[in-house]
Amino acid sequence: MRIIIFGPPGAGKGTQAELISDKYKIPHLSTGEIFRTAIKNQTPLGKKVKKILDAGELVSDDKVVGLVREELQKSKYKEGYILDGFPRTVPQAKAYDEILNNNNTSLKAFLLLEVPNDELIKRILSRGEGRSDDTKEGVQKRLRIYEEETQPVLNYYRKQNAVKKVDGVGTVKEIFQRITTIISN
Ligand code: ADP
């Protein structure tokens, strides 16, 4: 089962992706987490992307696509996975379609977590995870980039009739319930 969880920063993608991963026994692939771990461990990749993440900007499509393509070759992803944070641009979505096609696989669901902007800003500024991009300026920049570069990805998946909307306001449990109803159908 291959699932994409999509939505603006602060929508709760990571939290829900973890729950989906547990319930359906599929690994959670978060590009943001990969970058944050690389930065923490000061790997060559981490050194290259630190400034970009700190500024709330996007890592280049080439780098992200190369990384995801390589990661998905690991055997643990053979039976499926939940993708969080990717694809984030239309070129990434196109590249991901190619990856699916080349492996004769397809997507089970594209989940769109919907949360109003004022709630997103509130959540991010109060989550206290200590992320260096969780500042007021960082959040505003990420929201702007989401609107400009990431939302077009939605149109791409709408054309494939793949988008399933999820109301992202409520308790973690309530939202997860909405998601499992969609996945089970
Ligand atoms: P959020 O959804 O809160 O922005 P993520 O963990 O998904 O958090 O991403 C954090 C940062 O990692 C992004 O702001 C960006 O710099 C980088 N990043 C993650 N995924 C991608 C991607 N697919 N393409 C480009 N940059 C990415």
Side-chain angles (χ1 to χ4, degrees):
M1 182 156 65
R2 291 163 201 84
I3 298 172
I4 292 176
I5 189 154
F6 188 89
K13 300 183 295 281
T15 305
Q16 296 297 332
E18 276 301 306
L19 295 173
I20 294 168
S21 165
D22 280 352
K23 181 173 169 83
Y24 298 97
K25 309 269 177 281
I26 47 175
H28 171 199
L29 201 178
S30 158
T31 43
E33 272 307 315
I34 291 179
F35 293 135
R36 281 189 289 277
T37 305
I39 291 170
K40 201 175 89 205
N41 296 334
Q42 300 184 345
T43 67
L45 173 70
K47 284 179 188 155
K48 273 188 216 144
V49 300
K50 183 176 186 327
K51 277 204 190 96
I52 301 172
L53 266 87
D54 281 349
E57 287 165 5
L58 293 184
V59 176
S60 75
D61 289 334
D62 278 0
K63 221 176 249 130
V64 183
V65 168
L67 188 132
V68 171
R69 187 180 282 127
E70 208 182 294
E71 181 69 18
L72 286 179
Q73 276 167 6
K74 294 184 184 164
S75 64
K76 66 171 176 175
Y77 298 108
K78 248 184 95 184
E79 301 302 324
Y81 46 80
I82 167 115
L83 273 182
D84 158 15
F86 178 92
R88 222 180 183 95
T89 64
V90 172
Q92 289 180 23
K94 288 184 177 162
Y96 178 60
D97 258 352
E98 252 180 58
I99 297 177
L100 283 175
N101 285 337
N102 290 343
N103 295 303
N104 278 314
T105 50
S106 62
L107 205 59
K108 159 92 182 165
F110 180 100
L111 304 170
L112 167 65
L113 264 184
E114 294 187 304
V115 178
N117 265 13
D118 50 346
E119 168 87 12
L120 294 171
I121 295 172
K122 223 167 58 195
R123 281 190 195 177
I124 294 179
L125 295 182
S126 65
R127 70 181 168 191
E129 281 175 2
R131 274 174 54 171
S132 51
D133 56 348
D134 279 355
T135 58
K136 197 151 187 231
E137 296 71 39
V139 173
Q140 267 155 2
K141 181 129 173 217
R142 270 145 68 215
L143 281 173
R144 200 179 66 234
I145 293 183
Y146 176 79
E147 273 154 29
E148 286 166 6
E149 297 189 52
T150 307
Q151 268 193 345
V153 173
L154 262 182
N155 287 332
Y156 184 84
Y157 283 95
R158 281 207 182 101
K159 283 186 200 141
Q160 303 186 1
N161 277 323
V163 178
K164 311 257 190 267
K165 287 188 189 178
V166 181
D167 177 0
V169 180
T171 65
V172 169
K173 213 172 148 193
E174 279 163 356
I175 298 161
F176 185 53
Q177 182 65 49
R178 292 171 197 149
I179 290 177
T180 53
T181 304
I182 292 171
I183 294 177
S184 311
N185 279 330

